[in-house]
Amino acid sequence: TDTDTADEAVRATCDDATICKRYATSKGYWKDPYIQYFVRSVGERKAPEINRGYYARVQGVDHLLDAFIKKAECDCQVINLGAGLDTTFWRLKDKNLMPRKFFEVDFPTVVARKIHNIKTKPPLSKPLIETHSTDSLLLDAHSLDSDRYCIIGADLRDISSLDEKLKKFQLNPELPTLLLSECVLVYMTPSQSSNVVHWAAETFHTAMFINYEQVNMSDRFGQVMIENLQRRQCTLAGVEACQSLDSQKERFLKTGWQHADALDMITVYSMLPQEDMARIESLEFLDERELLQQLLQHYSICWATKDRLNLARTSGTG
Ligand code: SAM
């Protein structure tokens, strides 16, 4: 059916993200020793503005994520929605920043691929076994559950089944919770993505939601981005929620979140520490800075928080 074709095109986007990250890491933008186990070879060249954009995205998201985990002193959980082949679990393990439990959700077929990779690549499975206390580790084709890491196959558009599955795997609504979605909500209709962020606001008393995706899509450049995806049968069903930084924030403020902030990625890029920027700009020559400007103006990070118990204020540290 049409829906199947559309969903299949959306599932295929998990490779795009990983292929681009693999390429950028091969050029030395940042280090990710695990990504090679998810995409075998460094693919064809990507333009410098794309690599710099990925750098800003990874730095921006990791910065917010790590700050949350440190603030909670690891006594928290993380849920990566539409995680694809993301390697954050291993990065946090290596940085000694493991939350109590790290959850990932994606379509069952994507999850099956990820689990297959984990099963067959010891550098991926070893950290998982090391953080697990018993010998009863659940590892079947469509889900993985260990003490600290859990991967669930589910459709984010079906909230009740999502909620049920997460609870079955010991999601704890009482723990401070970080939810992350990177280039995921944009593939759902505005009402479907609102349902996701509303569910999160209702479920947790203390939480932060980080959302990275397209923004400012109504101009000519945005139209070209949409057309490029459509050529691959891929529809940005949620593009209406991506009109501006305000519409990004609105989605959260309308659904029970207390605060929301959003920055476009050219701003995030300009906030990178001087020496990091100097380092990455020396990696590859970028002829037209205009290209970087335009591209990064069309992506944003939005983060929303709620803290009903005022934990951030009572915990003392900054
Ligand atoms: N977040 C990952 C990253 O940044 O590397 C992957 C991004 S990829 C562009 C989008 C991911 O969202 C895909 O893995 C896709 O399967 C997943 N996704 C999109 N819609 C979904 C839905 N309704 N239910 C579950 N997963 C979904």
Side-chain angles (χ1 to χ4, degrees), residues 10-14 16-18 21 57 80-86 105-107 110 154-157 181-184 187-188:
V10 169
R11 283 191 283 271
T13 63
C14 75
D16 298 350
T18 309
K21 288 175 185 172
R57 161 177 171 177
N80 190 346
L81 300 167
L85 306 174
D86 186 84
V105 182
D106 208 300
F107 283 120
V110 174
D155 187 332
L156 298 169
R157 295 166 297 190
S181 57
E182 270 185 81
C183 292
V184 175
Y187 297 109
M188 294 178 228

